[in-house]
Amino acid sequence: MTNKTFQLETFTCPSCVAKIEGVLKKTKGIEQSEVLFNSSRVKVAYDDATINDNQIKFKLEGLGYKVLSVK
Amino acid sequence: MSLSTIWQLKKSHQVWASGTLALAGYVLMRTIGYHPVTIGLMLAATLIAGLPIFRKAFQAIRYKIVGIDALVTIAVAGAVIIGEYWEAAAVTFLFILGDYLESRTIEKTRSSIRSLMDLAPDQARVRRAEGEVVLSPNEVVRGDLIIVKPGEKIAVDGSVIEGTAYVNQAAITGESIPINRLNGDEVFSGTIIESGYLVIRAEKVGEDTTFARILHMVEEAQDKKAKAQKSLEKFSRWYTPSIILLSAVLYVFTRDIRLALTLLVISCPGALVISTPVSIVAGIGNGAKHGVLIKGGEIIEKLGTVKAVAFDKTGTLTEGKPGVTHIKSFGMSEDEVLRIAAIGESYSEHPLGQAIIREAEKRLNIKLTSPEQAEIIIGRGLRFTLDGQDYLIGNRKLFEQTAIDLDNHEDYLKLEETKGQTAVILGTETDILGIISIADTIRNDAKELVRELKRLGVKHIAMLTGDNQRAAKAVADQLGLDAYYAELLPQDKVEVLNSLGDKYGSVAMVGDGVNDAPALATADLGVAIGGAGTDVAMETADVVLMSADIHRLSYAVGLSRATVNNIRQNIIFALAVVAVLLAGVIFRTVNMSLGMLVHEGSVLLVILNAMRLLRYNESRIQE
């Protein structure tokens, strides 16, 4: 399992948090996710055999949140 | 312009572009009316501002999540369909303008934490075999010798082995008055040398330093949710879909599409859901800057509503080491009693003797000589010769073997003992020269702290200690505490805390984090004092006061109270705005764009209100 933290552009509404959390929860390969409102970060624990960080990044950007960095 | 270019646009550009187009459209509407050019301009404005919103809405709906974007999208689509192009343009423009301003101001509420991160050291001058090298702090290893010059930041935790300097430790303790550090002293990463220079042996580097751990904890803390926040999030999860349903029902019954769409727009719960996290992040950031580490929203809520505070005695309310509290002399000056006693005690290792020596060094400012001859009498004290005169120093038992009758002094000795003092008697074979009272001294600012906490609305202040009844009572009486519990074992402390909790609700346990780590860890709310450099304290406590200055506790409580009040104001305000708008919609005085304007305005006001917490400072406490 791999852990990655995605730094997104500043969150302004906590309802985005619910949305991102909901989406990640339903994504295959993602075992755990946490969306941090104040630091505008998303912490993800995923199975790297099923999904990679680029795909997750793509997913987040698809939701409308630019990913500034991944680490 | 293709759709993807709009997506690539910066937020600020989107705001400008759609704003200009909407304004031009508005002017045309007022002059030439709904001409195709007017409609074109308005649609373009709607598209530029709305595309990111629509996109977010559709993405979310694919995952069966209905958010604020969906509300706006439905409303705007509806407006376009019924030919309200101006409303559509205005609503989308106001929404992204609000979003833009919110992201700018929300950054401000997070600015304290950001500025703390900026304090991180970025280089270290290291003395290595090949000479002096400048490295990044991550490249420094334990045992390296670091050279720090005036104006530079210390990049490691370690101890001084050479030089002397005034160090500003604000980054760690929040205290900006520089302190003198010299050989053997402990220094922290992130602190700044104002004058002088130091050579430091690195003991903790990189992520292990106190500063890095504070940063890490603050980062984690800002997103640990408050209870209020959790319930609001649950609330908003069913709130948005039910508003859509309500609008649909409203439309079915009234056949008034405009009314239904306006309801959608004004019901966005933005201000409500944002009310708590913005206040929390501002409160935690403020605390971190002032040497108060609060580990999350729920902790702020607890500390802000705390009704009872229990203190550990030794090392928290008291200095934790014995000190001379009073000297009574007979036939000579107090200073002379102290001088002779200290010279005698220089022969002993006893803690009480050490207290006398410390006091003599402090008060007399002379170099102590040694006694010509000395002999320890175990369990009693010692006998020594100074300037040809024999002296005795010790407890009652020591004088039993002399011709001296202690009865004359018995009342005084008893009195001192009931005050929790240990009496050390100095005399010769024939006379008593003085009685030195020694006790674990109460900290200077403890009394003021108790007063402050009462003023902040703490109802019950208690002290828990493993020490004996007499000593405990003495401290409790002096400080004016509401209760004290003495002769407690660690497990007893937890029990007392639980019973206080039953009586008063939330209870904070305050200790130095070293002697009482278990009580801090099990307490509902553990507060550690002087946490900088002590790992256990930083890990186990919910609130860590970095410096040993206990006055910070009233700051922490005051700040938490202010934060809790701030959250309440925000929630009440947000609910009031929704209620007023709702009434406005029902009585048809609020249209879609006005609704959006008020809504976005209320979100901004909530953020601005939270920003007031950044300015909360000690002068507010003094009032």
Side-chain angles (χ1 to χ4, degrees):
Chain A
M1 202 172 63
T2 315
N3 287 296
K4 282 268 161 75
T5 303
F6 298 79
Q7 177 73 54
L8 307 196
E9 62 181 346
T10 310
F11 289 159
T12 50
C13 64
S15 63
C16 328
V17 172
K19 190 162 77 185
I20 298 171
E21 247 161 21
V23 169
L24 293 180
K25 222 166 261 169
K26 286 169 194 154
T27 306
K28 267 201 188 115
I30 292 184
E31 285 162 31
Q32 235 181 357
S33 64
E34 193 184 354
V35 182
L36 307 173
F37 172 69
N38 282 318
S39 48
S40 306
R41 285 183 193 162
V42 181
K43 282 188 186 171
V44 186
Y46 59 93
D47 174 15
D48 48 9
T50 324
I51 195 166
N52 63 33
D53 55 351
N54 253 330
Q55 285 167 301
I56 298 173
K57 182 179 167 180
F58 188 73
K59 201 138 221 153
L60 291 169
E61 299 211 317
L63 282 169
Y65 303 95
K66 282 177 195 161
V67 176
L68 303 179
S69 70
V70 183
K71 64 176 181 183
Chain B
M1 196 185 317
S2 78
L3 294 189
S4 62
T5 18
I6 295 177
W7 170 237
Q8 296 299 333
L9 275 180
K10 271 192 181 163
K11 250 185 199 171
S12 56
H13 293 161
Q14 278 170 9
V15 173
W16 275 114
S18 72
T20 315
L21 288 168
L23 188 69
Y26 183 76
V27 172
L28 286 184
M29 180 179 79
R30 287 280 149 158
T31 48
I32 59 169
Y34 265 128
H35 185 271
V37 178
T38 317
I39 296 172
L41 284 174
M42 285 178 175
L43 281 178
T46 308
L47 213 57
I48 289 175
L51 211 64
I53 311 172
F54 307 154
R55 183 174 166 136
K56 282 181 186 174
F58 284 121
Q59 290 286 356
I61 284 169
R62 266 186 22 210
Y63 293 97
K64 300 193 189 73
I65 293 158
V66 181
I68 190 166
D69 308 313
L71 292 181
V72 176
T73 305
I74 300 172
V76 168
V80 170
I81 291 166
I82 60 172
E84 289 279 4
Y85 303 109
W86 163 242
E87 290 281 324
V91 165
T92 46
F93 166 68
L94 287 171
F95 187 77
I96 65 154
L97 175 67
D99 190 53
Y100 174 67
L101 293 177
E102 283 148 27
S103 64
R104 293 286 299 265
T105 47
I106 240 174
E107 281 289 318
K108 288 252 161 57
T109 66
R110 297 165 181 165
S111 62
S112 292
I113 291 176
R114 179 122 328 144
S115 67
L116 196 64
M117 291 177 190
D118 292 340
L119 294 175
D122 45 14
Q123 61 175 45
R125 200 190 303 274
V126 183
R127 192 185 282 169
R128 291 242 169 111
E130 66 267 29
E132 219 176 277
V133 285
V134 175
L135 301 175
S136 124
N138 294 327
E139 294 169 308
V140 180
V141 293
R142 278 186 62 182
D144 268 344
L145 296 184
I146 314 290
I147 300 152
V148 195
K149 296 179 178 171
E152 291 182 346
K153 264 177 215 156
I154 299 173
V156 297
D157 285 5
S159 50
V160 177
I161 59 161
E162 195 186 314
T164 164
Y166 277 93
V167 181
N168 182 335
Q169 306 214 75
I172 304 283
T173 62
E175 180 55 68
S176 54
I177 299 167
I179 55 166
N180 194 13
R181 299 272 93 165
L182 36 94
N183 212 341
D185 284 340
E186 198 181 20
V187 289
F188 296 112
S189 167
T191 60
I192 300 168
I193 292 199
E194 296 204 337
S195 62
Y197 94 104
L198 295 176
V199 178
I200 297 155
R201 172 167 286 119
E203 278 153 14
K204 288 179 185 163
V205 296
E207 293 297 304
D208 294 329
T209 60
T210 302
F211 182 75
R213 293 164 54 134
I214 292 173
L215 268 193
H216 182 72
M217 283 177 181
V218 173
E219 282 237 285
E220 296 277 306
Q222 61 177 335
D223 279 302
K224 279 195 189 132
K225 288 171 191 169
K227 270 195 192 130
Q229 197 172 345
K230 283 184 195 152
S231 44
L232 283 176
E233 276 171 19
K234 250 182 234 157
F235 171 75
S236 69
R237 216 155 280 173
W238 60 260
Y239 175 80
T240 319
S242 42
I243 284 295
I244 294 181
L245 197 69
L246 186 67
S247 301
V249 171
L250 197 66
Y251 174 67
V252 169
F253 281 101
T254 62
R255 292 278 146 195
D256 186 341
I257 182 85
R258 209 160 297 161
L259 186 65
L261 292 178
T262 311
L263 181 66
L264 279 184
V265 168
I266 63 125
S267 304
C268 299
L272 200 57
V273 280
I274 213 166
S275 57
T276 315
V278 286
S279 303
I280 299 271
V281 77
I284 287 179
N286 179 313
K289 265 188 125 166
H290 291 93
V292 176
L293 176 52
I294 303 170
K295 295 191 192 161
E298 203 175 336
I299 307 292
I300 282 208
E301 278 179 324
K302 276 189 194 165
L303 192 60
T305 53
V306 76
K307 287 280 178 292
V309 176
F311 285 95
D312 179 48
K313 180 175 84 72
T314 311
T316 304
L317 289 175
T318 67
E319 297 286 353
K321 56 182 179 192
V324 172
T325 54
H326 189 65
I327 299 172
K328 190 171 182 179
S329 62
F330 306 98
M332 58 169 61
S333 73
E334 288 174 12
D335 283 358
E336 187 61 7
V337 170
L338 184 63
R339 189 182 71 88
I340 297 170
I343 290 172
E345 290 290 355
S346 65
Y347 193 75
S348 104
E349 300 270 293
H350 197 280
L352 294 176
Q354 297 300 316
I356 292 175
I357 293 170
R358 269 199 305 276
E359 180 72 12
E361 282 171 345
K362 196 173 79 187
R363 212 197 274 196
L364 306 178
N365 204 14
I366 50 163
K367 201 163 166 59
L368 294 172
T369 51
S370 307
E372 286 128 43
Q373 192 197 336
E375 170 201 359
I376 290 179
I377 302 156
I378 289 175
R380 297 184 179 186
L382 54 97
R383 176 193 289 274
F384 63 97
T385 314
L386 175 66
D387 300 330
Q389 170 73 48
D390 282 346
Y391 293 100
L392 295 166
I393 184 164
N395 56 19
R396 276 201 190 90
K397 282 188 199 146
L398 182 66
F399 289 88
E400 280 166 5
Q401 58 197 14
T402 65
I404 299 170
D405 186 4
L406 275 177
D407 285 355
N408 293 336
H409 301 287
E410 202 51 48
D411 286 350
Y412 180 75
L413 291 172
K414 281 260 166 61
L415 181 72
E416 286 300 287
E417 278 162 9
T418 54
K419 284 197 285 185
Q421 310 281 325
T422 307
V424 175
I425 308 164
L426 175 73
T428 61
E429 289 286 347
T430 52
D431 296 296
I432 297 290
L433 299 174
I435 299 171
I436 301 174
S437 303
I438 296 175
D440 187 1
T441 46
I442 292 176
R443 289 203 196 198
N444 284 331
D445 39 4
K447 206 163 189 172
E448 202 197 323
L449 172 73
V450 170
R451 207 169 32 231
E452 280 294 328
L453 289 178
K454 288 271 174 177
R455 200 184 59 74
L456 286 165
V458 176
K459 293 221 157 48
H460 188 82
I461 300 177
M463 181 176 74
L464 315 185
T465 178
D467 212 342
N468 64 55
Q469 289 283 350
R470 225 177 47 197
K473 186 173 187 314
V475 173
D477 287 351
Q478 261 191 70
L479 291 177
L481 301 181
D482 297 309
Y484 67 91
Y485 303 85
E487 289 163 37
L488 298 177
L489 298 171
Q491 60 266 36
D492 301 334
K493 287 189 182 177
V494 175
E495 236 165 74
V496 173
L497 285 175
N498 286 340
S499 72
L500 286 176
D502 292 341
K503 207 166 159 195
Y504 295 99
S506 143
V507 186
M509 168 75 203
V510 186
D512 65 3
V514 180
N515 303 312
D516 40 25
L520 288 191
T522 46
D524 190 35
L525 182 61
V527 183
I529 283 176
T534 40
D535 296 353
V536 202
M538 283 184 58
E539 291 299 334
T540 52
D542 299 309
V543 178
V544 186
L545 310 178
M546 289 302 155
S547 71
D549 168 16
I550 52 174
H551 191 67
R552 301 263 163 191
L553 180 62
S554 55
Y555 185 83
V557 173
L559 175 67
S560 302
R561 292 248 141 130
T563 308
V564 169
N565 283 337
N566 199 274
I567 292 171
R568 281 189 192 139
Q569 290 156 6
N570 282 350
I571 292 178
I572 291 171
F573 173 71
L575 286 175
V577 167
V578 172
V580 168
L581 282 179
L582 211 57
V585 172
I586 291 167
F587 294 109
R588 298 177 196 242
T589 49
V590 173
N591 63 18
M592 217 191 276
S593 45
L594 179 62
M596 184 53 94
L597 187 67
V598 173
H599 171 264
E600 291 299 325
S602 71
V603 174
L604 278 175
L605 278 175
V606 160
I607 299 174
L608 291 175
N609 188 41
M611 272 162 63
R612 293 192 309 130
L613 286 172
L614 296 176
R615 290 200 306 271
Y616 180 90
N617 60 37
E618 265 155 299
S619 61
R620 287 270 307 276
I621 287 192
Q622 309 291 344
E623 271 169 25

